[in-house]
C-alpha cells in the first residue's frame, strides 16, 4: 500500500494524513470544505514546525512530508487510485454509512476501507458496502502524531489478510496496533467513557469540584490529565455520542450519560472546541474553572 486517501480534514483526519505523509505515503486529504482543507494544511505545517524546533525532524523532512499531501473536495478524484481509504468524519452513524457507500463505489475494488470511528459498529458500517471483508476499524488516538496506539477493530466479516495488512501498516507508521473485536466502544472507550461519565456524576452530585476531581485522578492515579479536562479535550458532544452508543448497544443503565453532560451539550458547552466546557478556554480565563449550573 502506497496511496492513502483520508476523508475528513478535522482534528483526526489531518493528524492521520500527517502521520502517513511523514512516513513517505502518498496522501490525498478529502473534505467537502475548502476552508477545512486549508486549515488542515496549516495545522499540519504548524505541527511540523514544532517538531522541527524540537529537532525531532529536519527541514528537509518537513518539506518532504508536506510534498506528500494533496487535497481535494472531490471524492471521485480523491479515491480513484487509493490502496487504503481512512474515513475520519464526524461520529455520526448515518453520515458514516453514506460515506462508506460512496467509498465502496469510487475506490478501486481491491482497496481496503477503514474507519477511524471510536465506537460505531464496524460490522454495521461494512454491511453498507459490497466488500465487507475489506472493511476494518483503524482507531487512532488524539493527537495522532504523538499517540502510539492504534486500535484495530475486526468486523464480523473482516478477513485475516486485511487485518494482518493493517496491523503491519500501523507498525510501519511507528504505532503500536492492538487487535480487538467489534463490540460497542471496543476497548478504549468502553473503559474510558464510563470513567469520564462517573467523574461528571461526582461533579453533578456535589461530591467535589472540577479542579478537585481532576487533581485526585492526576496525582492519585498518575493520569496525565483529569477525566473532566480530558472530556473537554475530546469534546463533550463526542463523549455523549459514545455513551449513547454504549447505552444503546448493551442496554445497560450503567452507560446512561449523566444529565449534566446532556445539559452541557444542549447548551453548546462542548469543551475546547466551543471555548467552554468544564473549564473556560477564553483568552482571558484560559483553563480556569467555570461555575457549572445543574439545571
Amino acid at each position: 500500500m502506497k496511496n492513502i486517501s483520508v476523508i475528513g480534514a478535522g482534528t483526526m483526519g489531518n493528524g492521520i494524513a500527517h502521520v502517513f505523509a511523514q512516513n513517505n505515503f502518498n496522501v490525498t486529504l478529502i473534505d467537502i470544505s475548502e476552508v477545512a482543507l486549508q486549515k488542515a494544511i496549516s495545522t499540519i505545517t504548524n505541527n511540523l514546525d514544532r517538531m522541527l524546533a524540537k529537532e525531532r525532524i529536519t527541514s528537509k523532512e518537513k518539506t518532504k512530508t508536506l510534498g506528500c499531501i494533496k487535497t481535494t473536495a472531490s471524492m471521485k478524484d480523491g479515491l480513484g487510485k487509493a490502496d487504503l481509504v481512512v474515513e475520519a468524519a464526524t461520529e455520526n452513524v448515518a453520515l458514516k454509512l453514506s460515506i462508506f457507500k460512496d467509498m465502496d463505489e469510487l475506490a478501486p475494488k481491491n482497496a481496503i476501507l477503514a474507519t477511524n470511528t471510536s465506537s460505531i459498529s464496524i460490522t454495521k458500517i461494512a454491511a453498507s458496502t459490497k466488500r465487507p471483508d475489506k472493511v476494518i476499524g483503524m482507531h487512532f488516538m488524539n493527537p495522532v502524531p504523538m499517540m502510539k496506539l492504534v486500535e484495530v477493530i475486526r468486523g464480523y466479516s473482516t478477513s485475516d489478510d486485511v487485518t494482518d495488512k493493517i496491523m503491519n501498516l500501523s507498525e510501519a507508521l511507528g504505532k503500536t496496533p492492538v487487535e480487538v473485536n467489534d463490540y460497542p466502544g471496543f476497548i478504549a472507550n468502553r473503559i474510558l467513557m464510563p470513567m469520564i461519565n462517573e467523574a461528571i456524576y461526582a461533579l453533578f452530585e456535589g461530591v467535589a469540584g472540577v479542579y478537585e476531581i481532576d487533581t485526585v485522578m492526576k496525582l492519585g492515579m498518575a493520569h496525565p490529565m483529569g477525566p473532566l479536562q480530558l472530556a473537554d479535550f475530546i469534546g463533550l458532544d463526542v463523549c455523549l455520542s459514545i455513551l449513547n452508543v454504549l447505552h444503546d448497544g448493551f442496554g445497560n443503565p450503567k452507560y446512561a450519560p449523566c444529565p449534566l453532560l446532556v445539559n452541557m451539550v444542549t447548551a453548546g458547552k462542548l469543551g475546547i472546541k466551543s471555548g467552554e466546557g468544564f473549564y473556560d478556554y477564553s483568552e482571558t480565563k484560559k483553563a480556569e474553572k467555570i461555575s457549572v449550573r445543574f439545571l
Side-chain angles (χ1 to χ4, degrees), residues 7 79 85 87 99-107 113:
I7 298 177
L79 297 182
V85 186
E87 171 273 318
I99 289 173
F100 263 80
K101 287 180 182 178
D102 291 338
M103 288 163 58
D104 188 39
E105 179 181 344
L106 298 172
L113 308 182

Side-chain angles (χ1 to χ4, degrees), residues 81-102:
K81 296 181 180 179
D83 300 310
L84 168 69
V85 186
V86 183
E87 171 273 318
T90 304
E91 195 75 349
N92 177 286
V93 175
L95 176 62
K96 287 187 185 294
L97 294 180
S98 175
I99 289 173
F100 263 80
K101 287 180 182 178
D102 291 338

Side-chain angles (χ1 to χ4, degrees), residues 28-78:
T28 301
L29 183 58
I30 306 166
D31 199 291
I32 58 173
S33 168
E34 290 287 356
V35 173
L37 290 170
Q38 292 172 15
K39 184 178 178 181
I41 295 300
S42 177
T43 298
I44 294 169
T45 302
N46 290 337
N47 288 338
L48 289 168
D49 284 338
R50 279 193 284 270
M51 296 173 75
L52 181 61
K54 295 178 181 179
E55 299 184 344
R56 292 177 179 171
I57 61 171
T58 64
S59 179
K60 184 177 179 180
E61 287 172 326
K62 173 193 167 182
T63 301
K64 187 175 182 181
T65 297
L66 290 172
C68 286
I69 304 172
K70 66 177 182 179
T71 64
T72 181
S74 168
M75 289 268 281
K76 184 176 181 180
D77 293 342

Side-chain angles (χ1 to χ4, degrees), residues 178-221:
V178 176
E179 181 183 336
V180 303
N181 290 317
D182 185 22
Y183 291 93
F186 317 131
I187 290 296
N189 282 316
R190 182 170 178 173
I191 294 171
L192 174 63
M193 286 302 154
M195 182 192 74
I196 288 175
N197 199 40
E198 192 63 26
I200 298 172
Y201 262 113
L203 177 66
F204 180 55
E205 294 169 359
V207 179
V210 172
Y211 173 80
E212 289 75 17
I213 291 168
D214 278 353
T215 299
V216 166
M217 297 306 291
K218 286 191 287 185
L219 300 185
M221 284 63 183

